[in-house]
Every structure is written in C-alpha cells, then in structure tokens.
Amino acid sequence: HSTAAEVLRDFAKLGDSLRNNIYTNVKVVKVMGAAGDYQILMQDESGTTTKAMVASCRGVVLCINDRVGLPRPLQVPGKEKFHGVIADGTSDSLATMDWRGKRVVVAGMGAFAVENARTALENGAAEVVVVSRRHGTICPKMIDYLNFVKPWDEHYKHDTQTNVKQFLRWKELYSAAGCTVPECWPKQVKHEGHTISVSDLWFIGHHMKKLSTRTGGIAKAEANGVQLTSGEFVPCDVVVGCIGFERSNYLCEALTGRNTVMTTNYLDKDMMYLADAEIDEGAFNSFFGSSVLEYGKFFTNVYVEGLKRGDQLGEQLWGSQTEAVKITERKWNQYINAGLKLIEADPTISKHAREQVENRTRHFWRTMPPQSFLEVNRKEWEELHTRLNGGVPVPKSQQLPYFFDEAPEWC
C-alpha cells in the first residue's frame, strides 16, 4: 500500500492543478431548480463574516457521503467499573495508546474492526479478541490484487477456472490458519451489507494464537474484562468499538429535495449523485473491483458524455430508459448493472470503460507485475510473523505456509 506521505503528495499535486476551480470554506445550503437549470445556494465562510451566495449552472455532481456517516458509538453497560480503556476505533481516538502487552477486545468485524486489530497487533498487543454478530469476510492481499491484474473478457468477467482455484486456495488458507469462515459461505462470498476486508495479518494472527473471534456481543464490562452475551468472560485491558456507521443519504435529500435516484446515479438532467452505496452481494464482481474510485472514474466519464450528448443519451441516463429507486435503498449492483447496460448501448461509453480497465491493468503490470507482487507479498508474509512475535524471527517450520505461489500462473 502507498504510504500516507505518498497519498498526501498526490493530493497536493492534484489540488494545485485545480487551484482555480476549488473553493474551500464554502457551505452548500440548497440545490434548487430542475431539468438542467440549477441554482446553488451557498454560504461563503472564508472571511470574518459569512456571505450568502447564489450560483447558476447547467449541471451538478453531488460527491457527498452516503454509506459511511457518523460512527455508531459502542454502549457497554458497566463501563464505569472497567479499569482499562473503552473507546471507539475511529478519528484517532486511540492514537496515543501504548499497545504493548495489552489484551484487546474489538467489537465488530467490518473494515474498521480489522484495521484496529491490525494496529493493536503490529504495535505489540499480546492478544486481540474480535466479537461480532457474524463473521465478516477477510481477503488475503493476493486475492484482492488478482482481481485487478487478471484479464477481463468482453463482458468484464474473469476466467472461471482460475476464479475457482483462487477460492479453493482461499478456503484452504482459512482452514490452515484456524480462522472461522463467514457463515454465508459457500453460497455467498460475503454477508449482505458487509464489505470485504483485505488483511494477511488476520490469518497469520490466528495461526500464532494472537487473534481469535467470538460470535455475539458485549453484555457488560467488569473491572478486568468484559462478559459476552454467550456468558463467556474475556479478560482485557482495552475495548475498541467498531460497530458500523449510520448512513448519510439524508444529506442528498436535504440538499436537493429529491428522494429517488436513477440507477445510473442521476437525480435529474445533468445532476448526478456520485456516492458510495450499500454493498450488496456480488458488488465486487465487476470491473470496479473493490474500489469506489474506479466506480467514480467510470461514472465521471458517463457524466461528461451526458453533458456533451444529452439529446442522444438523456433517456438512458435520466429518462424513461432507466429505473428510479429510493435514495435510502441505493445498492452497488444497481449502478453496476446500469453501467453494463450503458456500455452495451453506447460505443463511446464502452470505449471509456475498456480504456479505464486497460490503463489500470497496464499500470499494475508496469509498477508491480504478478511475479514481483508475489515475491514482495511472500516476504511481507514472513516478516509479519516476526513482527507479531515481538521482533524475534519465527522459524520457517512454525510459520503459516504461504498459499499463493501459483498466483502468477492465474494471470
């Protein structure tokens, strides 16, 4: 993964190139109008006094939050009795924590929970117990990588035979590491509404008996640990809450006065709601992969084509040839399927999609081709054992075997 410094440098470069088009300290209050004639009501808060402003425009793109809103706070009965720390695992609330030797309980099993478990273990925690209603799906890095470098056919599908090989190897890894597989397997890859978390440490941590899971919730806190709803008592020093987020789709409704959106992401002519949505089953089986940015790239090109050729594409984008759903019921597969229909119907949009996938694939193969990724990932796999062992190397015979030596052949 890129370092924080690399990401910030990229943002700074992009921001500088768009300097004349970005206005900060401006709050959008309302989007008014319809059918390509819009008025944006704003408050300019950049000076000592707030100024009201109105801008007229032909198009609007709402790149605002939807799926990940305010974090749900963890409520633990009896927390005043607990001698350790209880905190939510967001907003750097545990940035100053000294994890060394700590026994940690993480509530929840989404992406934030997995990241907090990783942070604790990589920084010296003695043990992490993850408590959740159901087991989320954890994907090794290699599986996620393969989704971006394997060739796509004309229908944006990967080869079925290699997909089966990947999944079987994934299941074998779960078993060898001693991890509990998601309850939805093999019928579904992940639970409805869940994301898929990417982590090699999850498997290595289980193998080294430093990470484990429990099904259920936290019933109450006691002085030196928590009692689970199963009745089990888990001794711990730190309790981390990662139990999900409220959706923020009400923001779109409040700003625009609209409560439905087309599956193409359009709210009206040249007005697009470009935001994440509920992750339903099959969400990652598209050329967007696990990336919301890839989804954003594609529909940005769709939006530009709509501006250029509204008379030709309007019915497909915001008119009678698409389908409206409630904003509160937006799902990934809705805009995935709408995107595939647009690709099939319009040669220019089809070209955008193909170029996006080909450019991304070339970038992966140029910067980190499969054999190189394999070597780096295998080395990191071994180093994780050392890191979780307090910096002391773990003999090869005691390490969790690496399961993806054949991965380059699947590309």
Side-chain angles (χ1 to χ4, degrees):
H1 291 289
S2 300
T3 64
E6 289 172 329
V7 174
L8 289 172
R9 281 197 296 270
D10 285 347
F11 274 129
K13 182 178 179 181
L14 179 61
D16 189 60
S17 69
L18 297 172
R19 181 185 299 272
N20 296 327
N21 303 88
I22 295 177
Y23 297 86
T24 58
N25 295 309
V26 177
K27 178 181 179 181
V28 177
V29 179
K30 200 74 176 177
V31 179
M32 304 178 69
D37 182 15
Y38 303 109
Q39 297 77 45
I40 315 300
L41 277 60
M42 300 170 285
Q43 292 177 347
D44 182 353
E45 301 172 348
S46 60
T48 55
T49 59
T50 300
K51 300 177 182 178
M53 302 171 62
V54 179
S56 298
C57 56
R58 60 173 288 199
V60 181
V61 181
L62 291 97
C63 301
I64 57 178
N65 205 353
D66 183 325
R67 188 174 62 85
V68 182
L70 293 174
R72 299 188 186 109
L74 178 66
Q75 304 294 338
V76 181
K79 63 180 181 180
E80 68 280 355
K81 302 176 184 177
F82 188 58
H83 291 172
V85 174
I86 298 178
D88 290 312
T90 58
S91 304
D92 282 340
S93 60
L94 292 162
T96 60
M97 172 62 65
D98 182 358
W99 296 99
R100 289 174 296 181
K102 297 293 193 301
R103 300 165 300 174
V104 181
V105 167
V106 176
M109 200 174 161
F112 275 78
V114 173
E115 282 300 297
N116 274 273
R118 177 192 61 79
T119 296
L121 288 172
E122 285 191 343
N123 287 281
E127 180 186 12
V128 174
V129 177
V130 176
V131 180
S132 61
R133 293 179 293 116
R134 54 190 183 180
H135 287 81
T137 301
I138 313 298
C139 172
K141 284 185 179 180
M142 179 60 82
I143 295 293
D144 188 53
Y145 168 82
L146 289 170
N147 200 32
F148 289 100
V149 297
K150 288 175 59 180
W152 301 88
D153 66 15
E154 65 274 17
H155 302 296
Y156 295 98
K157 299 291 184 183
H158 287 313
D159 174 66
T160 302
Q161 288 185 336
T162 55
N163 280 352
V164 170
K165 290 179 181 178
Q166 287 173 218
F167 189 70
L168 289 176
R169 199 59 54 86
W170 192 0
K171 286 179 64 178
E172 291 170 3
L173 174 58
Y174 257 99
S175 178
C179 304
T180 301
V181 300
E183 294 82 356
C184 58
W185 278 20
K187 186 177 180 180
Q188 295 177 313
V189 174
K190 66 175 196 64
H191 290 290
E192 195 77 13
H194 263 240
T195 185
I196 297 178
S197 300
V198 179
S199 174
D200 289 346
L201 181 142
W202 184 265
F203 302 97
I204 295 168
H206 273 81
H207 172 74
M208 296 182 67
K209 310 301 182 187
K210 288 181 170 288
L211 178 59
S212 60
T213 60
R214 305 287 191 278
T215 304
I218 297 175
K220 64 179 180 179
E222 299 183 11
N224 299 307
V226 294
Q227 182 177 319
L228 307 184
T229 51
S230 64
E232 179 185 359
F233 179 76
V234 180
C236 62
D237 308 295
V238 184
V239 178
V240 185
C242 300
I243 55 174
F245 298 82
E246 303 294 342
R247 289 191 68 175
S248 292
N249 42 44
Y250 64 88
L251 293 172
C252 180
E253 295 186 12
L255 284 173
T256 67
R258 293 162 170 80
N259 59 15
T260 61
V261 60
M262 300 300 179
T263 56
T264 53
N265 296 303
Y266 278 89
L267 296 156
D268 200 336
K269 179 182 178 181
D270 295 330
M271 181 191 287
M272 179 178 279
Y273 183 30
L274 195 58
D276 199 358
E278 180 181 332
I279 306 174
D280 52 345
E281 175 59 24
F284 299 137
N285 293 333
S286 75
F287 68 87
F288 302 145
S290 57
S291 173
V292 178
L293 290 177
E294 290 298 311
Y295 146 71
K297 288 179 187 178
F298 173 75
F299 276 101
T300 296
N301 281 320
V302 169
Y303 183 79
V304 172
E305 291 303 322
L307 287 176
K308 291 178 178 177
R309 300 183 287 131
D311 292 343
Q312 178 184 348
L313 295 174
E315 291 302 314
Q316 299 173 61
L317 299 180
W318 55 77
S320 61
Q321 295 178 29
T322 185
E323 179 184 356
V325 297
K326 291 182 179 179
I327 289 175
T328 54
E329 297 176 1
R330 291 177 70 241
K331 300 178 187 296
W332 267 58
N333 268 302
Q334 293 166 356
Y335 50 68
I336 288 172
N337 293 333
L340 292 174
K341 288 180 181 178
L342 291 171
I343 289 169
E344 185 176 347
D346 186 78
T348 304
I349 292 176
S350 177
K351 182 181 178 183
H352 283 307
R354 182 56 60 183
E355 288 179 348
Q356 178 177 334
V357 170
E358 290 177 351
N359 289 339
R360 182 182 70 203
T361 303
R362 277 196 299 269
H363 175 77
F364 270 96
W365 278 80
R366 183 179 70 252
T367 59
M368 187 65 76
Q371 189 61 42
S372 297
F373 185 88
L374 170 69
E375 293 167 3
V376 170
N377 187 229
R378 186 163 48 199
K379 182 179 180 181
E380 183 184 47
W381 188 275
E382 296 179 2
E383 290 174 347
L384 278 171
H385 289 81
T386 300
R387 184 157 189 170
L388 298 193
N389 199 40
V392 179
V394 177
K396 189 86 169 179
S397 60
Q398 297 176 22
Q399 295 180 14
L400 177 65
Y402 187 73
F403 274 71
F404 302 104
D405 291 309
E406 300 172 11
E409 300 174 14
W410 302 337
C411 299

